[in-house]
Amino acid sequence: PLNVSEMFFGKKLSSVSADSYDADRYFVGTEDGVIYVVNTATNDVDTLLTSFDRIYKVVPDMTAQGLRYWVGTRNMGLLLCSRSVDSLVAVARYVLPAAERYSAYDVSVCRTGVYVATSHGMLKVAAESKDKPEVGTETLGEVFVRRVGEGRA
């Protein structure tokens, strides 16, 4: 037998994201926009409500304004959020030049910026953009990735 434990949330789940700041914590996204914060050390589960659609990814990020959360969603794209008691509230929404609605499936925060895999390709939020105090709505920049061996003579 495998060493497996089960957790039941009573909802359809859409994602699980590790917390890079706490190895004992992870985020579980649901198809109706609820995020569960699970602490494996204490077996505590907190519930964060959102006004978003399906949650594909949750990534905490320490910004100049404190701890914020990058949330990848279905149809609403990439959102930068702050926590307000038992909910996440969007402080910025990142839009595409060619599409109002898109899905953000995966997010990676790096020194050079925030990279997001979307239904329209890989896009980037500039590193300096994420630390603005009031962001509002911003346009994502396209990232062109060269294949290994491409362009060599």
Side-chain angles (χ1 to χ4, degrees), residues 70 76-79 93-99 102-104 114-118 120-126 129 137-143:
W70 295 96
M76 291 181 72
L78 180 66
L79 301 153
R93 180 167 181 252
Y94 293 85
V95 298
L96 298 177
Y102 72 97
S103 295
V114 178
Y115 295 86
V116 56
T118 77
H120 293 270
M122 189 160 109
L123 303 165
K124 176 185 176 184
V125 175
S129 217
T137 301
E138 294 221 354
T139 302
L140 285 168
E142 291 186 65
V143 175

Side-chain angles (χ1 to χ4, degrees), residues 71-148:
V71 180
T73 67
R74 178 177 63 183
N75 295 331
M76 291 181 72
L78 180 66
L79 301 153
L80 180 60
C81 301
S82 62
R83 186 168 179 166
S84 175
V85 189
D86 64 348
S87 62
L88 287 187
V89 178
V91 296
R93 180 167 181 252
Y94 293 85
V95 298
L96 298 177
E100 177 64 26
R101 293 167 59 97
Y102 72 97
S103 295
Y105 300 112
D106 203 0
V107 179
S108 184
V109 177
C110 302
R111 181 183 47 78
T112 56
V114 178
Y115 295 86
V116 56
T118 77
S119 51
H120 293 270
M122 189 160 109
L123 303 165
K124 176 185 176 184
V125 175
E128 60 276 4
S129 217
K130 71 183 188 111
D131 285 324
K132 291 181 183 176
E134 294 181 23
V135 195
T137 301
E138 294 221 354
T139 302
L140 285 168
E142 291 186 65
V143 175
F144 297 98
V145 180
R146 182 173 59 87
R147 292 187 183 144
V148 175

